Amino acid sequence: MGPLIGTTLPVAIGIAISPVPMIAAILMLLSPRAKSTGVGFLIGWIVGIAVAVIVFAALSSILPAADPEATHPIIGVIDIVLGALLLLIGIRQWRSRPKDGDEPKLPGWMKAIDSMTALRGFVLGVVLSAVNPKNLLLAVSAGLAIGSSDVVLWQEAIVIVVFVLIAASSIIIPVVAYLLASASMARPLDALRGWLTDNNATIMAVLMFVLGFVVIGKGIGQF
């Protein structure tokens, strides 16, 4: 179980380091309905990640049974394709970096965050965690690793819980911190939002390059 957690750890960190969802969470925590929308978004984020990983772990059961002594070319090919797609996303993000003097562009839906309800926050959390292409590719990689392993069911459950907690940590930490100390968290959250906004494309590009090569290397190791 330990090696499996280690295998999925970089993927979980890749989901956690997602500037746009972090910016969305911070904007919700700075909005008039901070607590309700922030908690709703957090729950949606956790549910989306958990469902995606569980679904792909279950789907991996249709692959040939794992043999510790044998190669796994099907999983290897899938990982290499996933890694290549992550690299393409990284290239796209790198090219989208704002030029000197330009204002970073963020999704238009962020303008509506101030008027969001807890339910809309929940739905947005699910969409950004499970439907986002980058997170979906990473969930596929983690699900395949977990579902094709030789650990028993209860160990898989523990690995998934650890994976989800790490992947959701970047949203859990600011939301919980705000709930515990809302008055003192406003200024640090606003400063963090500004930094993430300015460096969103660069962070995402570097992250995708690193994860792309990690997933491709894992795929090559399956042969």
Side-chain angles (χ1 to χ4, degrees):
M1 184 174 66
L4 183 57
I5 292 176
T7 298
T8 58
L9 180 61
V11 181
I13 294 175
I15 294 177
I17 305 176
S18 301
V20 169
M22 291 173 68
I23 294 171
I26 291 171
L27 289 176
M28 289 181 188
L29 296 176
L30 297 175
S31 70
R33 301 175 180 174
K35 292 184 178 180
S36 61
T37 54
V39 171
F41 182 80
L42 172 60
I43 295 173
W45 181 259
I46 292 174
V47 169
I49 295 171
V51 169
V53 173
I54 291 171
V55 167
F56 289 113
L59 289 176
S60 69
S61 63
I62 66 175
L63 298 175
D67 179 357
E69 304 299 326
T71 60
H72 308 100
I74 296 177
I75 296 176
V77 169
I78 294 174
D79 277 336
I80 291 173
V81 171
L82 293 176
L85 291 174
L86 291 172
L87 292 178
L88 290 176
I89 293 176
I91 293 172
R92 181 180 178 183
Q93 289 289 334
W94 185 262
R95 290 179 174 176
S96 70
R97 291 175 303 150
K99 298 179 181 179
D100 293 338
D102 291 344
E103 287 291 328
K105 293 182 179 180
L106 290 173
W109 52 260
M110 285 190 175
K111 298 177 182 178
I113 283 180
D114 281 351
S115 61
M116 278 191 177
T117 62
L119 178 58
R120 289 184 178 179
F122 172 84
V123 173
L124 180 61
V126 172
V127 171
L128 290 181
S129 61
V131 183
N132 177 284
K134 183 266 288 186
N135 287 353
L136 189 60
L137 292 174
L138 294 176
V140 172
S141 178
L144 287 175
I146 295 170
S148 63
S149 66
D150 56 355
V151 300
V152 296
L153 185 60
W154 68 267
Q155 291 176 320
E156 282 191 12
I158 292 176
V159 172
I160 290 174
V161 169
V162 172
F163 178 89
V164 171
L165 288 176
I166 294 173
S169 61
S170 58
I171 307 298
I172 294 174
I173 292 172
V175 171
V176 172
Y178 182 86
L179 293 176
L180 294 176
S182 57
S184 59
M185 287 300 297
R187 182 174 294 179
L189 286 174
D190 190 51
L192 178 58
R193 177 201 58 78
W195 185 84
L196 289 171
T197 300
D198 292 338
N199 297 279
N200 172 45
T202 302
I203 295 171
M204 286 296 296
V206 173
L207 179 64
M208 291 301 94
F209 290 144
V210 172
L211 288 175
F213 285 117
V214 167
V215 174
I216 288 174
K218 187 175 70 173
I220 295 173
Q222 297 289 348
F223 289 90

